[in-house]
Amino acid sequence: MAAARAGVTTRAAGYDDLDVEAVYDGIWANFSMLHTPLDHWAQHFNAIHAALIPDGLFHFGTKLGTGEIRDKIGRMYSYMEEAPLRDLFARTGFVIDAARTGKEAGLSGEVAPYIVILARKADDV
């Protein structure tokens, strides 16, 4: 949808492909990082932080919980509770502007709690 807008350039990439500095106005990570190991999340957040311009926006959605499991259709999920997730945002140089939580069924049909966060790159990091 973004690429269809005049003057908007998009790029689909994995987190390990983020190797640029101060290039992007915004990064949309909507329910994708939850399929990566938890011990990679801080590294991914740091790469996102570096890739954003000053005050760049970071949209992040994930399911809430703890640990790493596979769902009933075999997909790997990493779960984090809200408080440690907010701490991760702060530790990696983001200020949270808005957040909302809810519960919804995913592709497997299982209902799970989630959080969607809009953050921006902090000025002083």
Side-chain angles (χ1 to χ4, degrees):
M1 288 175 18
R5 298 182 66 92
V8 175
T9 304
T10 63
R11 175 181 175 223
Y15 297 104
D16 291 330
D17 296 323
L18 283 174
D19 57 0
V20 296
E21 291 196 26
V23 171
Y24 298 109
D25 295 328
I27 293 178
W28 179 272
N30 198 50
F31 295 88
S32 57
M33 194 175 298
L34 62 95
H35 297 295
T36 67
L38 281 171
D39 63 355
H40 294 187
W41 282 27
Q43 171 188 329
H44 295 328
F45 272 56
N46 283 325
I48 290 166
H49 185 274
L52 288 168
I53 64 169
D55 270 346
L57 296 177
F58 178 23
H59 168 96
F60 183 80
T62 194
K63 294 183 179 187
L64 293 171
T66 57
E68 296 176 353
I69 64 165
R70 294 207 174 265
D71 67 9
K72 67 182 184 182
I73 59 175
R75 295 173 305 162
M76 195 279 273
Y77 280 90
S78 294
Y79 295 99
M80 190 178 290
E81 293 292 347
E82 184 174 352
L85 182 58
R86 286 178 175 270
D87 181 61
L88 178 60
F89 271 88
R91 285 186 291 115
T92 54
F94 291 98
V95 175
I96 294 174
D97 289 336
R100 67 178 171 85
T101 59
K103 288 185 180 184
E104 193 169 286
L107 290 175
S108 68
E110 299 168 74
V111 175
Y114 69 84
I115 188 165
V116 176
I117 294 173
L118 179 63
R120 62 184 163 78
K121 183 175 180 175
D123 290 335
D124 60 345
V125 176

